[in-house]
């Protein structure tokens, strides 16, 4: 541990809802609207001894983690630590990587998603993903959101209602309702990212994976995405990879810290930032490395 912890670890003032972190970015203010975890007993995802290799290189080293329902769960750690790799195991995106070998279990809805009889298309419908860079299709705003329901066989007459609902849930409807036939590529970067969230919501997932969704966005757009994720957790389980410690502190109910393919520590965010159990966690959170 550092000799002078008073200058490096979280300092809590006034009340547990308002906290100042003495880190590179000064402070994080939690308003009274933030809800802390209620310790849900039912898990959305249960991961047991998960290992992953890219060819001869082992990228994940026996990860065991329970992710509760209806929370925001952040994965933090330095570049190359395995957090994005682990995120992609949760909906089998790593299946597309040559020479990728996976061992262990990922239980979703009581079944191991790596069993041979699992329908991967259905899995990715239930476990949606929003990527680091917004990737709207080169078609209209409406067709971007309608694309998923359409290929899953939703009748044409139902699509307008689904599109409107998804855009409203993604906090984008009021900005685009009068130009649904316009190209999605005409939207700003932040709008494009919210469009991709709406596209994910349109197929009615249970879990949404976010891989650094704000890394290319300005602070205003980042704030909108963060607010949206906190709103969505009432109906979905939200799992986020982020390099931003302040973002993890602001939005997360739970946080997991990865390092060199290992899961070092996981738990409620407020406890991890206030009193991390592992010295490496404390050093990373306070900016000593990474």
């Amino acid at each position: 541990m550092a000799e002078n912890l008073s200058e490096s670890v979280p300092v809590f003032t006034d009340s547990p809802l308002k906290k100042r972190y003495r880190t590179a970015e000064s402070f994080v203010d939690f308003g009274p609207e933030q809800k802390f975890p209620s310790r849900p007993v039912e898990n959305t995802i249960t991961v047991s001894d998960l290992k992953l290799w890219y060819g001869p290189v082992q990228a994940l080293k026996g990860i065991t983690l329970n992710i509760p329902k209806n929370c925001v769960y952040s994965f933090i750690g330095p570049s190359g630590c395995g957090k994005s790799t682990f995120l992609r195991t949760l909906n089998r995106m790593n299946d597309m990587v040559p020479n990728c070998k996976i061992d262990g279990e990922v239980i979703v809805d009581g079944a191991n998603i790596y069993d041979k009889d699992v329908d991967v298309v259905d899995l990715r419908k239930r476990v949606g993903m929003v990527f680091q860079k917004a990737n709207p299709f080169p078609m209209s705003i409406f067709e971007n959101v309608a694309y998923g329901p359409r290929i899953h066989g939703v009748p044409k007459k139902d699509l307008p209602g689904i599109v409107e609902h998804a855009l409203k849930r993604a906090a984008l409807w009021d900005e685009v309702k009068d130009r649904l036939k316009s190209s999605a590529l005409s939207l700003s970067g932040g709008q494009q990212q919210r469009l991709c969230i709406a596209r994910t919501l349109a197929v009615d997932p249970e879990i949404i994976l976010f891989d650094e969704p704000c890394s290319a966005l300005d602070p205003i757009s980042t704030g909108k995405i963060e607010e949206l994720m906190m709103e969505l957790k009432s109906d979905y389980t939200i799992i986020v990879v982020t390099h931003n410690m302040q973002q993890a502190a602001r939005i997360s109910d739970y946080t997991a810290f990865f390092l060199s393919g290992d899961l070092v520590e996981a738990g409620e965010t407020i406890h991890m930032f206030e009193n991390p159990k592992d010295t490496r966690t404390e050093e990373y959170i306070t900016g000593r490395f990474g």
Side-chain angles (χ1 to χ4, degrees), residues 199-219:
R199 194 171 66 196
T200 300
L201 294 173
V203 297
D204 196 25
E206 302 166 24
I207 301 161
I208 307 176
L209 312 177
F210 289 86
D211 192 0
E212 297 188 63
C214 303
S215 63
L217 301 182
D218 62 85

Side-chain angles (χ1 to χ4, degrees), residues 88-134:
R88 291 194 295 268
T89 67
L90 303 181
N91 69 348
R92 293 185 53 170
M93 290 295 290
N94 287 307
D95 287 9
M96 304 176 184
V97 179
N99 301 317
C100 180
K101 177 186 174 184
I102 296 175
D103 187 34
E105 288 188 337
V106 177
I107 306 298
V108 178
D109 291 338
N112 182 11
I113 66 172
Y114 285 93
D115 285 345
K116 293 182 179 179
D117 60 349
V118 167
D119 183 337
V120 178
V121 174
D122 178 69
L123 170 68
R124 292 177 186 152
K125 177 178 179 288
R126 292 185 291 129
V127 186
M129 190 162 190
V130 177
F131 296 91
Q132 180 176 3
K133 184 178 179 181

Side-chain angles (χ1 to χ4, degrees), residues 161-224:
I162 291 172
V163 169
E164 179 176 347
H165 180 69
L167 288 169
K168 285 180 175 178
R169 291 306 311 269
L172 189 58
W173 174 253
D174 289 341
E175 298 172 41
V176 302
K177 62 183 179 182
D178 296 324
R179 49 176 177 145
L180 294 177
K181 294 182 180 180
S182 300
S183 171
L185 302 179
S186 67
L187 298 175
S188 69
Q191 289 174 326
Q192 288 186 12
Q193 192 66 296
R194 279 182 284 148
L195 179 66
C196 292
I197 295 171
R199 194 171 66 196
T200 300
L201 294 173
V203 297
D204 196 25
E206 302 166 24
I207 301 161
I208 307 176
L209 312 177
F210 289 86
D211 192 0
E212 297 188 63
C214 303
S215 63
L217 301 182
D218 62 85
I220 293 176
S221 296
T222 294
K224 290 181 179 180

